[in-house]
Amino acid sequence: DLAEEVDAVTASVDQDLSGSGIILKRDLGRAITFADRARIRQVLFAVLDNVCRYAPKSTVVIQTRQTRDRVFLRCSDSGPGLPRGSENRAFERFWRAEESRARVSGGSGLGLSVVQAIARAHGGDATVANDNGGTSIEIWLPAAT
C-alpha cells in the first residue's frame, strides 16, 4: 500500500523536512500495487530530497489514490516551481533546473531520472508539472488485481 510506505518514509525524514521549514500535509488513500518496497521507498526519498533542496519553506502535499487499474502517488509543493518549458527535461539524467543553485545544494541531477526509471521498471511512469507556482511530481503504477 503506497499510503503505508508514505507514512513510513515521511516519519523517518520528518525532522529534515521541518528543518527545511517544510510543512507536510498527507492526503493518503489506499493504493495497493505489486512493487519492490525498497525501490518505492527510494522513489519517495528522492522526491522528498528534491523538495528539501529546491522548495524549502514550502507546503508539501503528498497524496495516494487508487483507480480501477492504477495507483498513484503525487507530491506537490508550493515552492518556486520549474522554469517555464523545462518540465520535459526534469527526468533527464544530470539535468538541473538551475545550475548555480544545484551546485551549491550538491545535487547530482540523477534523482528524478531514477524516480522515473523505477516507476517504468514497475510498469508505470512518472510525470512532473508546474502546479500553482510550485512543482507536482506524480508516480503511477499498475494496481494490484
Side-chain angles (χ1 to χ4, degrees):
D1 187 348
L2 292 181
E4 291 176 9
E5 298 308 315
V6 168
D7 273 338
V9 169
T10 56
S12 71
V13 297
D14 191 49
Q15 286 186 332
D16 294 332
L17 296 172
S18 295
S20 293
I22 293 170
I23 297 169
L24 180 64
K25 297 181 180 181
R26 295 173 188 87
D27 179 11
L28 306 177
R30 187 174 157 107
I32 307 296
T33 187
F34 289 114
D36 181 329
R37 181 182 313 258
R39 294 296 152 242
I40 297 305
R41 287 184 179 199
Q42 183 179 0
V43 163
L44 290 164
F45 281 118
V47 169
L48 292 172
D49 182 60
N50 264 9
V51 169
C52 286
R53 289 176 190 272
Y54 303 114
K57 297 183 174 103
S58 68
T59 298
V60 175
V61 178
I62 299 181
Q63 299 172 293
T64 57
R65 293 285 186 277
Q66 182 165 341
T67 65
R68 188 164 27 102
D69 60 346
R70 296 190 333 174
V71 298
F72 76 84
L73 166 98
R74 180 180 299 129
C75 182
S76 302
D77 66 60
S78 62
L82 294 167
R84 181 167 274 153
S86 66
E87 296 88 353
N88 292 334
R89 298 197 64 202
F91 294 107
E92 288 180 17
R93 290 182 350 193
F94 307 115
W95 182 81
R96 296 183 208 148
E98 186 180 322
E99 286 295 324
S100 61
R101 183 172 72 186
R103 288 183 191 182
V104 169
S105 66
S108 66
L110 288 173
L112 290 182
S113 66
V114 169
V115 165
Q116 188 178 58
I118 291 170
R120 288 179 174 175
H122 284 82
D125 207 353
T127 59
V128 65
N130 279 327
D131 190 24
N132 296 323
T135 301
S136 183
I137 298 172
E138 186 172 307
I139 297 96
W140 66 265
L141 302 168
T145 53

